[in-house]
Amino acid sequence: MSESNKTPTTALAPNASATLPEIGVNSEIIDCGAVPDKETIHEWPILLVLAAIQFVHILDFMMIMPLGPEFFRLYEITPQQFGFLVTVYTFSAAICSFMAGFVVDRFDRKHALICFCSGFSLATLLCALSINYEMLLCSRAVAGMFGGLLSATIFSIIGDLIPSSRRGKATGTVMSSFSFAAVAGMPAGLFLANMISWRVPFAVLALLGLMIILAAYRLLPSVKPHLHPAYQDVSPGVLNQFRNIFLNRNHIFAFLLIAMLMFSSYLVIPFISVYMVTNVGMHENELPYLYFFGGLFSFFTANLFGRFTDRYNKRMMLGVLALLSLVPILWITHISKAPLFLALTATTLFMILVTGRIIPLMALVVACVRPHLRGSFMTFHMSIQQLSAGLGSLLAGSMMVMTAQGEMMHFDTVGMIAAVITVIGILLVTQLKTIEELDKK
């Protein structure tokens, strides 16, 4: 696995590299050259649309978990069936993203994003209309299919339109939608579910999706630097596409890195709420504080981490945040009976650092792939991310047991495994190179 294909000009006509579009190299206003159609575009409307799509996608995924008791009563399902209701989303996203990765770079990213957002909104509406467990399960699978593709396309657009010097800040802006979903989206969704019906939050998300589609159509430019004529023969077939993505040493390290960090995160994340109630002593009606304070603080730190990522080395920033994240990972999995303030401090620090480390990770990963492969790469990347998250949840669930006293056992062991895997991820960071670094060799 060599770097023989490290520059796209190896498969291009002579002097073709001189014609390749340089994306996002000017000031606060990005001049895209020949793409899109020699028009000058503004960054912030684009980032707000992308953040809005990410908000709807994340909130849809988060809403299903606190609605568990309602589904238990309504559909008389078992804990295993509810667990599958959650993980089917991630596995569906992983499979669909992998399959789409071979063809996604053949289309204008704007059109692809609108198409995926339309499918996602329809799937969310089907969730609201589900009349039994089987229909809800299928709806979640369809939502996962389009949700994974949405995330991959969002970060591909950031990579295509936002220059490297501001990519960390742009990634932080889009990632802050997670915090906004926790602070505002979750309480509003649960209020609607409690006051009217569990179906209402999903119907509202479907409506928001439709409004965002209209905004995306009006505000997003065509995003097709990967369709530039100079790239037409770089990856002519599925086999070459597979080889260019998976037989590249740098890409393999990127895939392993995201797999390690997501696997370690989702060993812990799905079980935090249960552990806080059963082992730490938090009351169920205090759980919204967990999301609120974690989301509130990470909303501000996400933008701060994004700025630091741009100001300092992306690799160093990721290594520092990943190393610091070991503290809340071990704390939150080893804490026992504790006052509410201490429990919220642990969970808030966890959200700040474990979600915060994704910001420099995405900025670094986007910088390690060339434009003509970015859409496929990010789609495969998202597939691996979703698969790793699902496997982490399944492994942790299989390791833990509930005692007769209603306490959850072996969460501390899960935390130790998550910490070890995070350390492995830190070591992988040192092996990942950006395109600029490769071209200097």
Side-chain angles (χ1 to χ4, degrees):
M1 292 177 287
S2 67
E3 295 293 337
S4 60
N5 62 338
K6 70 178 183 178
T7 61
T9 57
T10 56
L12 301 175
N15 300 323
S17 60
T19 67
L20 296 182
E22 293 293 334
I23 306 303
V25 294
N26 290 339
S27 61
E28 284 298 321
I29 302 299
I30 305 175
D31 182 2
C32 287
V35 183
D37 299 326
K38 301 183 180 179
E39 293 181 1
T40 299
I41 61 174
H42 297 264
E43 290 180 11
W44 278 105
I46 294 172
L47 293 178
L48 290 177
V49 170
L50 298 181
I53 295 174
Q54 190 78 342
F55 168 80
V56 171
H57 157 51
I58 290 175
L59 185 55
D60 172 81
F61 177 73
M62 293 174 63
M63 276 301 304
I64 205 75
M65 287 179 277
L67 292 176
E70 178 74 17
F71 296 139
F72 278 108
R73 291 190 295 268
L74 185 63
Y75 297 132
E76 299 182 350
I77 59 176
T78 64
Q80 291 77 17
Q81 286 176 307
F82 177 71
F84 193 52
L85 192 64
V86 176
T87 57
V88 70
Y89 186 101
T90 59
F91 286 125
S92 176
I95 294 171
C96 190
S97 295
F98 184 85
M99 294 174 62
F102 293 105
V103 298
V104 70
D105 272 326
R106 301 179 185 179
F107 305 97
D108 184 329
R109 301 207 203 287
K110 172 183 178 178
H111 299 158
L113 187 70
I114 291 175
C115 178
F116 298 151
C117 193
S118 300
F120 180 81
S121 299
L122 178 60
T124 305
L125 181 60
L126 289 176
C127 291
L129 299 176
S130 297
I131 58 175
N132 52 43
Y133 172 77
E134 290 74 19
M135 184 176 177
L136 182 61
L137 186 68
C138 291
S139 300
R140 298 309 299 161
V142 176
M145 288 169 52
F146 290 104
L149 293 171
L150 276 175
S151 292
T153 308
I154 285 171
F155 288 107
S156 296
I157 291 175
I158 291 176
D160 284 341
L161 294 185
I162 308 299
S164 180
S165 62
R166 294 195 298 278
R167 200 169 288 153
K169 179 181 177 182
T171 303
T173 299
V174 173
M175 289 294 294
S176 64
S177 58
F178 168 83
S179 306
F180 189 66
V183 171
M186 285 288 285
L190 291 175
F191 175 79
L192 291 174
N194 292 330
M195 293 297 296
I196 306 175
S197 168
W198 69 267
R199 304 176 188 273
V200 176
F202 294 101
V204 171
L205 286 175
L207 179 61
L208 285 176
L210 176 60
M211 297 170 61
I212 294 171
I213 290 170
L214 297 176
Y217 181 80
R218 291 181 58 87
L219 297 176
L220 290 185
S222 293
V223 187
K224 47 187 179 183
H226 54 294
L227 300 179
H228 191 275
Y231 290 137
Q232 285 182 350
D233 296 324
V234 174
S235 305
V238 171
L239 185 60
N240 278 345
Q241 188 82 338
F242 186 89
R243 182 169 61 248
N244 290 337
I245 295 292
F246 288 101
L247 297 187
N248 184 300
R249 181 175 179 271
N250 204 42
H251 294 174
I252 291 175
F253 280 122
F255 289 144
L256 289 174
L257 178 58
I258 189 64
M260 293 296 101
L261 293 186
M262 291 303 298
F263 187 82
S264 64
S265 297
Y266 277 82
L267 280 169
V268 180
I269 289 174
F271 305 97
I272 291 176
S273 298
V274 177
Y275 186 79
M276 287 294 118
V277 172
T278 59
N279 292 57
V280 181
M282 187 181 292
H283 296 292
E284 288 188 33
N285 59 5
E286 294 173 334
L287 286 178
Y289 295 129
L290 186 155
Y291 293 101
F292 178 81
F293 287 108
L296 180 64
F297 280 90
S298 59
F299 178 80
F300 295 103
T301 57
N303 288 281
L304 185 64
F305 291 157
R307 292 176 184 273
F308 285 165
T309 298
D310 291 334
R311 182 177 303 176
Y312 305 107
N313 184 277
K314 296 179 178 65
R315 189 180 297 104
M316 181 192 72
M317 191 66 189
L318 175 56
V320 169
L321 288 178
L323 186 63
L324 291 176
S325 70
L326 294 175
V327 174
I329 287 174
L330 294 175
W331 187 6
I332 209 169
T333 54
H334 286 75
I335 192 173
S336 55
K337 296 293 183 181
L340 179 62
F341 172 78
L342 196 61
L344 290 178
T345 301
T347 56
T348 299
L349 191 62
F350 181 91
M351 285 194 181
I352 288 174
L353 293 174
V354 173
T355 61
R357 66 189 188 181
I358 301 299
I359 295 170
L361 170 65
M362 296 307 299
L364 179 62
V365 165
V366 168
C368 81
V369 60
R370 299 189 181 278
H372 69 289
L373 295 174
R374 187 170 286 136
S376 294
F377 175 88
M378 292 306 297
T379 305
F380 288 129
H381 186 273
M382 201 58 59
S383 174
I384 292 171
Q385 174 179 322
Q386 298 287 353
L387 181 62
S388 302
L391 291 175
S393 300
L394 289 179
L395 176 62
S398 67
M399 292 178 60
M400 291 182 292
V401 296
M402 299 295 292
T403 66
Q405 292 75 30
E407 292 189 347
M408 192 161 61
M409 300 293 293
H410 308 312
F411 201 36
D412 53 347
T413 304
V414 169
M416 293 297 297
I417 296 174
V420 171
I421 295 175
T422 297
V423 173
I424 295 174
I426 295 173
L427 297 177
L428 287 172
V429 173
T430 63
Q431 302 298 315
L432 194 59
K433 307 296 181 184
T434 65
I435 294 301
E436 290 79 5
E437 291 170 336
L438 292 175
D439 287 344
K440 288 179 182 178
K441 290 185 178 181

